[in-house]
Each structure stands twice: as structure tokens, then as C-alpha cells.
């Protein structure tokens, strides 16, 4: 600022500053005016947009109300038609199964082979008593007898699945356990007979006896220590894929070592019966998934509970009306499942819900070598022991004597080539059988070494014990995706993409055939037709389990869904599986527990479904709708597809866009095909475990 001669500001400077201030004020006023205009314009646009949205909401609400009213008018007719279709199929399937049971009974009667009827306890007790007293110990004949007994074991296990009375169940369980123990005792007696003549079958290379005996159900590996060489370390049964290491203390002892590999698993059966307070076989279908088609007009408590705790989205809320699940009266699956004993993880006891033994059981035993046959003056002398063959007691750590410290002994080692009939999706776990506790345990197993390239596992234990190879039961779950598509009339392909491997099952009438890109371990199953229940058991035994039960959710992450709505979906998918393809949708995990979302399209060609043919459908307990969104949309929305309608049942919704030929094809579906598809869907529950 300029200063005048008397020390005051220059007047010209003040005038210039005043002019600048006025210009700035004018500019500010103009900017303020422009801001107000912009705000007014934005408010106007916002108000117009809000008004448009309000009008659109009202239009949608009126449209939804119109569609809901239209659905209510035809609800009773649609539910009756669905009930009629389900009841018709259920009656036909029940009749067929009853006739099949009668035919099986007649065929058993006509065989006249002397085999007892497992359902008749008196016959079973007589059979076991006579066999127990049978002095036959020839290994060939004993194995033939055991094979017949194993067939009876399978029949008893199937029989137990359908017995609900606790006392009756206990009686059959006792018969089953006694028969399993008798089979094992016969193996024991045949083993003793072979070892009595061990000196007559000496190997020229080692001076010891070594033999392998096989049939369809067992592999018996026997070794008798006749030479007693201190530096002898290991024995290999190459044809059986088994070998064991012999501690130095045993190399100079009169012992025999047996590895009996049974391709069946009786200890696990005993463990389940012992530790499940109410025995529930793992391959039974979830109770919620068992079909019951009876018309029942009263409201189901399960559906009411579901709606109170999980309300529908605002756009889908309506007054309570009878749902398709209530009309079909499906039993409440939310009731407590049969309880099983909680396993203490510290004790490393195997939970047979979490783990499944694969490839059978390996009985690894050491026995005192029985007295050998002696020859003198043309006579053959055999010393008979009243006690029979005695187990050789060996512990890696023996108790000290006279107050001295315990004396450590080497562990016993064994190597196993993984059985060819199973698939291990992960490195197998080893468990030993605790006979006292009647359970499998994972402690006491050390120095485990797994060679994946050779398919061989080696480990050590502190004593000779039975062991098994374990895999997590649900290793292949949850599913990454799934698809059910028709291949023609009464034919479909069900594909599940699991966590480790993909599985495809072809369904034709009431038969199923497994398909997989991985043939190793599955060659005995792939390409072979069998019933759905037989295939399920065979797949579980082979290590490719995709089936679930009422305990699966404790071990596998899942998408929570109302079991009643889920069951209704599987029933109706099965009805239309001859003409419609169904597939996984990512939106199923976003739509809430009370709803299901899947991709569907009509499909008549055996070739894969084109990607642009799919449409999304939302299923609920009260009604179903076709969705406006697609699988590639950015967010989930329950808005219905423009021009589509609501329906109380899934099948009537699908019929709106199906061709007359497609509808006719669904009506011509055979009841056994529909039942097989439904059973497969209920056993895998893809809408929950994917």
C-alpha cells in the first residue's frame, strides 16, 4: 500500500482496492446464484427420479399383487395336479418294490442251497451253531464257507436299514456281530492249520515259510520264522503289495507273522453299532429327503417356523396361504437327528462320520509258531495244543522288572501298496483298531511315509495290530457346480464337479452307470449298470463319495436352505428330468435360506446345453417365479422376468415356456426313472452342498 506524505494511505490505492472488492463480490454473487440454480436443478431431477421410482414401485407392486392373486386362484388346482403326479409315481414304485421283495424271497426259496434266511433268526442261529462245530480247516474250503457267510452279512446289513424297533434292531445286530466274529475265527483256524505244516513248505532262498493265498474277498500273507537268522530284517509279499520289518528280538523267536487283508470292513460296523446311541448307517438318505406324497391341508409347523424366522424379501411378502410343501405333508426334517457319540479329539479316536476306512482292513498279527509235524519210522506226529494258536505278545516298550526302567524295543514296521479298487483324493491317514474300546484310533502310528508316485505308504506301530487306511468322508465336497440334463426319454446325465474330481452318472430307467475321467481305482465301476443304491455303496467304498446324510453339515460348509422347499424341488426336478436341464447357479447362495435359485431350460438333444439357453428360476415354499437377472448380472434381484407369471409349483412355472412335445415327454416318464433321479438328488443334495 502506498503511503502519503503525512503518513496516510494513498487515496488512489483505496479506490483501486474498493473496485477489486466490488468485482470479487459480484463474482461471488454470480457463483452463488449458479450454485443455487444447480441445486434447484438437481433437486428437481432427484424429485422427478424419485417420483419415477415411486411410480415404478407402485406399478411393480400392483403387477406383483395381480400375479399373486392370479396364482391364488389356480393354487388349489396346481397343488392337486402335482399331488396326483407324485402319488401316482409313489404308488407305482411302492408296488414294484413290494413285488421285487416277493420275487427275491421266492428265488431264495427255489435255490435250495441250504443257506439260511437272514430275516429268520432261528435259521441264522442254527446255521452259525452248525458251522462253529464244523471241524473243516482246509483253507480253500473255509474260504468258500466264508464267502457264503459274507453274503449273509450283506443281507443282514441291508435288513437292518429298514428296522426301526430298537429291540428288534438289537437282536439282528447281535446276530450280525456273532456272524462276523465267526468268520474271523474260521480264518484263524485255517491259519493255524497252514502254520502246523510250515516246515514242509520251506523257501530254499530264506529257509523260512512264506505264502500268499487270495480270493475275491481276502488276501492272506503268512510268514513262519524257521531259520531264525538274527540279521534278518524284512519280509516282502510282492504279489500282495505288502511288506513288514522284523525287529531283531523277533528274528530269533519261534513266531509267525500274518497279514490278513479283508476287502470288507467288519470292525467299523462294530464301532458304529457300539458308539452310535441310535445306529444310523451312513449311506441312508437324509430323513428330509425321503419322499412322502400325501395330501394334507393343515399347515405344517416346519413351514410356519421357517417363515417366522426367515421372512421373504419385501417384494415377495404375502399373507399366509397353503404352500406346496404343506399340501404334500413332507415330514419336518429339522427334528433332531439320531444322536451319535461325540468323539474326544485329544484321544485321537476316529470319528467314523468324518473319516471313512477305504480298501478294507489289514489284520497284522504275530503268533507263537505251533509245533511242527514230525516224522519217525514212517509215522507222522503232530502235537495238538488244547489252547490253539497263541498270539505272540510284543510291545515296543516293556515294563521294567524289579524296579528297573522300561526296556525300549524297536517298533514294528509295515508297508502297504494302496489297493487298486479305491481312490485316495488326499494322502491317506492310518488308523489302528482298538479292540478293547471297539474303535479306530490314530495315535500310536509313527514314521509315516507316503510315496504318491508309487502309491505306497509305510509306517510303524508299537505292536502288531489291525489297521486301516482312512480318508475324509466328504473330501470331495462341497460341489463346485452340478448339472442334470436329459439324454432322451427316461434317460439323463447327472454331473457333479467336486472339490477334487468330477463325477458323472448316467441314469437309464432305474439303473445308473458311473463315468469319470479318472479311471484309476474305478475300473471295476466305470461303465457298469447297477441300481442307484448299489452304485452309492460302491462309490463310497471306492473313495469317491458325493453322498450326504444328516451329519454332513457338521463337516462341510454348506448353503443353508429350508429342507422342505429343497425336497419339493428335487421331487419336481425328477418329474421333468426327461425334458428339462437343471444346473447350479451362483445366486443360490445369495437368495436366502427360504429360497432356491437354479438355471433351467428345456432340452431334447443329448449334446451339452448352449450357454445362452439357460434361464434363472427362484423357488420358494409358497410360489416360484422366473427371474429377470441372468447368471452374469452384477447383483441379485428377486424381480420376475417381464411377461412371466407366478406359480404355486415349480412344474407349472416351467410349463409356461415349454413346448407341447416337452410337456408330453414329462408326462410319459416312467415311475422308476423318476424315482431313481429323485433318490440321486436327495442323496447328494446339490442345492445345499454347492
Amino acid at each position: 500500500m502506498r503511503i502519503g506524505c503525512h503518513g496516510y494511505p494513498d487515496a488512489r490505492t483505496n479506490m483501486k482496492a474498493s473496485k477489486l472488492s466490488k468485482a470479487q463480490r459480484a463474482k461471488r454473487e454470480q457463483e452463488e446464484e449458479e450454485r443455487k440454480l444447480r441445486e434447484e436443478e438437481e433437486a428437481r431431477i432427484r424429485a422427478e427420479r424419485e417420483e419415477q421410482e415411486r411410480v415404478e414401485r407402485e406399478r411393480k407392486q400392483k403387477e406383483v399383487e395381480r400375479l399373486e392373486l392370479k396364482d391364488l386362484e389356480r393354487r388349489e388346482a396346481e397343488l392337486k395336479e402335482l399331488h396326483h403326479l407324485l402319488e401316482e409315481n409313489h404308488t407305482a414304485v411302492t408296488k414294484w418294490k413290494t413285488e421285487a421283495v416277493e420275487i427275491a424271497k421266492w428265488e431264495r426259496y427255489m435255490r435250495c442251497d441250504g443257506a439260511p434266511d437272514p430275516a429268520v433268526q432261528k435259521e441264522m442261529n442254527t446255521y452259525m451253531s452248525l458251522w462253529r462245530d464244523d471241524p473243516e480247516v482246509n483253507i480253500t474250503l473255509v474260504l468258500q464257507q466264508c464267502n457264503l457267510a459274507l453274503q449273509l452279512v450283506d443281507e443282514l446289513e441291508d435288513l437292518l436299514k429298514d428296522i426301526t424297533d430298537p429291540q428288534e434292531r438289537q437282536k439282528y445286530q447281535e446276530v450280525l456281530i456273532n456272524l462276523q466274529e465267526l468268520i474271523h475265527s474260521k480264518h484263524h483256524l485255517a491259519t493255524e492249520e497252514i502254520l502246523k505244516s510250515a516246515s514242509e513248505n520251506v523257501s530254499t532262498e530264506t529257509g523260512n515259510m512264506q505264502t500268499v493265498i487270495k480270493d475275491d474277498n481276502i488276501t492272506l500273507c503268512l510268514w513262519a520264522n524257521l531259520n531264525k537268522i538274527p540279521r534278518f530284517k524284512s519280509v516282502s509279499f510282492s504279489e500282495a503289495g505288502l511288506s513288514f520289518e522284523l525287529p531283531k528280538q523277533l528274528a530269533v523267536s519261534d513266531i509267525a507273522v500274518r497279514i490278513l487283508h479283508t476287502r470288507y470292513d467288519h470292525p467299523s460296523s462294530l464301532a458304529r453299532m457300539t458308539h452310535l446311541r441310535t445306529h444310523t448307517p451312513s449311506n441312508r438318505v437324509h430323513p428330509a429327503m425321503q419322499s412322502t406324497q400325501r395330501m394334507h391341508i393343515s399347515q405344517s409347523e416346519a413351514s410356519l417356523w421357517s417363515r417366522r424366522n426367515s421372512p421373504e424379501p419385501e417384494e415377495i411378502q404375502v399373507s399366509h396361504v397353503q404352500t406346496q410343501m404343506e399340501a404334500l405333508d413332507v415330514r419336518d426334517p429339522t427334528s433332531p437327528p439320531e444322536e451319535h457319540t461325540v468323539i474326544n479329539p485329544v484321544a485321537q479316536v476316529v470319528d467314523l462320520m468324518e473319516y471313512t476306512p477305504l480298501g478294507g482292513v489289514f489284520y497284522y498279527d504275530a503268533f507263537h509258531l505251533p509245533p511242527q509235524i514230525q516224522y519217525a519210522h514212517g509215522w507222522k506226529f503232530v502235537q495238538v495244543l488244547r489252547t490253539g494258536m497263541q498270539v505272540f505278545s510284543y510291545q515296543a516298550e516293556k515294563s521294567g522288572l524289579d524296579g528297573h526302567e522300561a526296556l525300549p524295543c524297536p517298533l514294528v514296521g509295515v508297508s502297504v501298496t494302496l489297493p487298486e479298487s479305491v481312490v485316495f483324493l488326499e494322502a491317506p491317514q492310518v488308523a489302528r483298531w482298538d479292540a478293547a474300546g471297539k474303535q479306530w484310533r490314530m495315535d500310536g502310528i509313527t514314521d509315516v511315509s507316503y510315496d504318491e508316485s508309487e502309491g505306497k505308504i509305510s509306517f510303524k506301530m508299537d505292536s502288531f495290530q489291525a489297521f486301516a487306511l482312512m480318508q475324509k468322508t466328504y473330501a470331495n465336497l462341497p460341489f463346485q457346480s452340478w448339472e442334470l440334463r436329459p439324454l432322451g426319454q427316461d434317460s439323463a446325465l447327472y454331473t457333479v464337479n467336486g472339490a477334487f474330481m468330477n463325477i458323472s452318472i448316467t441314469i437309464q430307467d432305474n439303473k445308473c452307470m458311473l463315468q469319470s475321467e479318472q479311471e484309476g481305482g474305478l475300473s471295476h465301476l466305470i461303465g457298469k449298470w447297477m441300481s442307484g443304491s448299489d452304485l452309492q455303496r460302491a462309490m463310497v467304498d471306492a473313495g469317491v463319495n458325493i453322498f450326504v446324510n444328516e451329519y454332513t453339515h457338521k463337516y462341510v460348509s454348506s448353503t443353508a436352505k429350508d429342507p422342505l422347499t429343497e425336497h419339493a424341488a428335487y421331487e419336481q426336478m425328477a418329474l421333468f428330468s426327461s425334458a428339462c436341464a437343471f444346473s447350479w447357479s451362483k445366486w443360490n447362495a445369495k437368495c436366502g435360506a427360504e429360497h432356491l435359485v437354479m438355471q433351467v431350460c428345456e432340452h431334447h438333444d443329448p449334446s451339452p446345453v448352449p450357454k445362452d439357453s439357460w434361464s434363472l428360476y427362484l423357488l420358494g415354499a409358497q410360489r416360484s417365479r422366473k427371474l429377470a437377472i441372468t447368471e452374469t448380472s452384477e447383483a441379485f434381484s428377486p424381480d420376475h422376468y417381464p411377461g412371466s407369471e407366478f406359480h404355486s409349483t415349480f412344474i407349472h412355472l416351467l410349463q409356461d415356456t415349454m413346448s407341447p412335445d416337452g410337456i408330453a415327454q414329462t408326462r410319459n416318464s416312467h415311475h422308476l426313472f423318476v424315482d431313481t433321479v429323485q433318490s440321486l438328488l436327495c442323496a447328494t443334495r446339490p442345492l445345499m452342498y454347492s
Side-chain angles (χ1 to χ4, degrees):
M1 179 181 294
R2 294 183 58 188
I3 305 300
C5 58
H6 299 287
Y8 295 100
D10 193 336
R12 288 176 298 178
T13 301
N14 291 337
M15 291 176 62
K16 186 174 180 181
S18 177
K19 289 180 180 180
L20 289 175
S21 298
K22 289 179 179 179
Q24 290 175 350
R25 284 197 298 271
K27 184 177 180 181
R28 288 172 182 166
E29 290 175 357
Q30 183 179 359
E31 290 177 350
E32 182 69 16
E33 183 68 20
E34 291 176 353
R35 184 184 63 79
K36 289 181 179 180
L37 290 175
R38 282 197 306 271
E39 289 180 353
E40 291 175 357
E41 180 65 16
E42 290 174 357
R44 184 186 65 80
I45 294 174
R46 185 166 56 252
E48 290 180 354
R49 184 170 61 249
E50 290 175 353
E51 177 65 16
Q52 291 175 355
E53 291 175 352
R54 184 189 66 79
V55 171
E56 180 64 17
R57 281 198 306 271
E58 291 181 354
R59 186 193 68 79
K60 286 184 176 180
Q61 183 62 31
K62 290 180 179 179
E63 177 66 10
V64 168
E65 291 175 356
R66 183 186 69 83
L67 293 175
E68 288 178 351
L69 182 60
K70 190 174 181 179
D71 174 46
L72 283 173
E73 293 174 352
R74 61 192 176 206
R75 177 182 297 274
E76 184 177 355
E78 290 185 352
L79 290 176
K80 283 184 177 179
E81 184 178 2
L82 175 59
H83 164 73
H84 173 73
L85 291 173
L86 294 174
E87 184 67 24
E88 189 176 47
N89 277 306
H90 176 69
T91 302
V93 170
T94 302
K95 180 181 178 182
W96 179 85
K97 290 181 178 179
T98 302
E99 292 175 350
V101 170
E102 294 301 322
I103 291 173
K105 288 182 179 179
W106 176 252
E107 290 178 347
R108 167 182 287 280
Y109 175 77
M110 293 300 293
R111 281 205 304 261
C112 299
D113 57 0
D117 185 350
V120 182
Q121 295 186 32
K122 184 177 180 181
E123 290 187 19
M124 288 299 300
N125 291 334
T126 301
Y127 163 77
M128 288 189 290
S129 178
L130 292 174
W131 190 28
R132 188 177 291 109
D133 296 337
D134 186 352
E136 183 60 66
V137 289
N138 177 274
I139 184 63
T140 302
L141 298 177
V142 167
L143 291 181
Q144 292 176 0
Q145 295 172 340
C146 289
N147 291 339
L148 172 60
L150 289 171
Q151 294 176 15
L152 297 175
V153 167
D154 291 339
E155 293 182 46
L156 277 169
E157 289 177 340
D158 289 338
L159 191 64
L160 277 167
K161 295 176 186 177
D162 301 321
I163 298 177
T164 56
D165 180 69
Q167 293 182 347
E168 193 75 6
R169 171 178 287 275
Q170 184 176 358
K171 290 179 181 178
Y172 281 103
Q173 285 180 347
E174 290 176 357
V175 173
L176 176 61
I177 293 172
N178 290 337
L179 183 56
Q180 291 174 342
E181 291 177 349
L182 182 55
I183 292 172
H184 194 63
S185 70
K186 289 295 182 178
H187 288 154
H188 196 75
L189 292 172
T191 299
E192 181 182 6
E193 185 66 17
I194 295 173
L195 291 177
K196 284 179 181 179
S197 58
S199 59
E200 296 183 336
N201 299 281
V202 176
S203 168
T204 55
E205 295 181 4
T206 64
N208 298 315
M209 187 213 77
Q210 181 173 331
T211 186
V212 175
I213 300 171
K214 285 185 177 183
D215 76 349
D216 292 338
N217 293 308
I218 66 105
T219 297
L220 175 62
C221 301
L222 275 177
W223 177 84
N225 189 19
L226 301 172
N227 209 9
K228 302 180 185 64
I229 302 177
R231 62 180 180 275
F232 197 85
K233 292 184 178 180
S234 63
V235 179
S236 176
F237 302 95
S238 56
E239 60 268 53
L242 295 166
S243 62
F244 66 87
E245 296 177 4
L246 194 67
K248 186 178 295 184
Q249 290 89 331
L250 301 182
V252 294
S253 302
D254 285 323
I255 66 164
V257 175
R258 179 186 72 175
I259 302 180
L260 172 62
H261 175 207
T262 62
R263 279 171 274 283
Y264 50 84
D265 179 6
H266 290 167
S268 296
S269 174
L270 177 61
R272 290 188 180 98
M273 287 187 283
T274 302
H275 299 289
L276 291 186
R277 297 173 188 171
T278 306
H279 177 56
T280 304
S282 60
N283 61 349
R284 293 193 69 183
V285 176
H286 190 289
M289 299 297 106
Q290 294 176 349
S291 176
T292 56
Q293 299 93 7
R294 301 184 307 274
M295 182 64 75
H296 183 56
I297 303 302
S298 63
Q299 299 171 349
S300 84
E301 295 178 0
S303 294
L304 288 173
W305 182 90
S306 298
R307 278 189 295 278
R308 283 198 299 267
N309 291 275
S310 301
E312 293 183 337
E314 182 178 353
E315 297 87 344
I316 309 178
Q317 287 182 353
V318 293
S319 60
H320 173 66
V321 291
Q322 182 193 17
T323 70
Q324 56 181 309
M325 292 308 303
E326 292 165 351
L328 300 176
D329 186 30
V330 176
R331 185 167 65 86
D332 181 9
T334 60
S335 58
E338 296 173 305
E339 189 174 1
H340 72 286
T341 303
V342 177
I343 300 300
N344 180 5
V346 178
Q348 296 196 42
V349 175
V350 175
D351 180 355
L352 288 176
M353 294 295 176
E354 183 178 6
Y355 287 91
T356 297
L358 295 180
V361 178
F362 298 83
Y363 295 89
Y364 187 27
D365 304 298
F367 301 104
H368 288 280
L369 192 62
Q372 297 298 293
I373 296 175
Q374 302 293 330
Y375 293 91
H377 307 292
W379 291 85
K380 181 168 69 172
F381 296 91
V382 180
Q383 182 182 353
V384 178
L385 300 178
R386 293 182 179 275
T387 56
M389 188 166 59
Q390 296 296 302
V391 173
F392 186 91
S393 179
Y394 178 85
Q395 290 290 330
E397 186 173 292
K398 297 179 180 178
S399 300
L401 300 175
D402 301 326
H404 292 85
E405 294 183 359
L407 302 174
C409 296
L411 301 171
V412 294
V414 65
S415 296
V416 180
T417 300
L418 303 186
E420 297 179 352
S421 59
V422 296
V423 174
F424 284 93
L425 303 176
E426 301 175 300
Q429 303 290 315
V430 183
R432 61 181 180 85
W433 177 246
D434 175 10
K438 298 179 182 178
Q439 58 196 3
W440 292 106
R441 303 175 64 96
M442 288 188 178
D443 54 350
I445 310 291
T446 61
D447 299 344
V448 180
S449 175
Y450 176 54
D451 188 335
E452 185 176 1
S453 61
E454 293 187 5
K456 179 180 288 187
I457 187 168
S458 303
F459 56 93
K460 292 182 178 180
M461 298 185 290
D462 59 3
S463 63
F464 293 91
Q465 301 175 77
F467 63 87
L469 305 179
M470 300 275 177
Q471 177 173 264
K472 285 191 174 181
T473 303
Y474 307 109
N476 209 30
L477 275 76
F479 308 135
Q480 309 305 301
S481 62
W482 60 270
E483 180 184 282
L484 173 67
R485 62 180 173 90
L487 299 176
Q489 185 67 55
D490 295 333
S491 181
L493 180 67
Y494 182 46
T495 301
V496 169
N497 295 326
F500 283 93
M501 65 182 298
N502 303 331
I503 295 294
S504 293
I505 299 175
T506 302
I507 308 162
Q508 181 71 52
D509 298 327
N510 66 329
K511 298 296 182 181
C512 298
M513 180 175 66
L514 177 66
Q515 296 177 348
S516 176
E517 296 178 356
Q518 177 177 334
E519 295 187 1
L522 299 175
S523 58
H524 62 297
L525 295 180
I526 293 178
K528 295 184 179 179
W529 291 102
M530 59 186 75
S531 67
S533 58
D534 288 345
L535 179 62
Q536 179 174 340
R537 178 185 298 179
M539 289 177 61
V540 171
D541 291 343
V544 286
N545 181 39
I546 59 172
F547 306 100
V548 301
N549 59 37
E550 59 267 48
Y551 303 113
T552 306
H553 67 280
K554 297 181 179 180
Y555 309 103
V556 180
S557 61
S558 61
T559 304
K561 295 296 177 184
D562 176 26
L564 301 176
T565 305
E566 184 189 2
H567 176 70
Y570 297 145
E571 283 185 322
Q572 296 174 77
M573 290 166 65
L575 287 173
F576 273 41
S577 55
S578 279
C580 290
F582 306 88
S583 181
W584 168 89
S585 171
K586 66 180 180 181
W587 301 121
N588 187 50
K590 307 290 184 181
C591 64
E594 287 300 297
H595 293 91
L596 306 168
V597 175
M598 69 179 83
Q599 300 183 78
V600 189
C601 74
E602 184 177 356
H603 190 67
H604 300 283
D605 194 326
S607 62
V609 179
K611 291 184 178 180
D612 57 355
S613 298
W614 296 106
S615 296
L616 286 173
Y617 288 81
L618 177 75
L619 284 67
Q622 296 181 4
R623 56 179 52 89
S624 300
R625 65 180 68 180
K626 184 178 180 179
L627 294 177
I629 60 172
T630 66
E631 193 67 13
T632 57
S633 298
E634 294 183 358
F636 175 75
S637 171
D639 292 344
H640 66 281
Y641 186 82
S644 64
E645 297 188 352
F646 296 168
H647 283 276
S648 299
T649 70
F650 188 28
I651 61 171
H652 288 92
L653 176 61
L654 295 177
Q655 286 179 174
D656 282 352
T657 56
M658 288 180 65
S659 65
D661 290 342
I663 296 175
Q665 194 166 346
T666 63
R667 294 298 188 267
N668 293 328
S669 295
H670 196 277
H671 55 271
L672 292 181
F673 169 74
V674 173
D675 180 69
T676 302
V677 173
Q678 180 183 329
S679 298
L680 194 57
L681 291 172
C682 291
T684 54
R685 301 186 69 181
L687 291 168
M688 180 176 179
Y689 291 102
S690 62

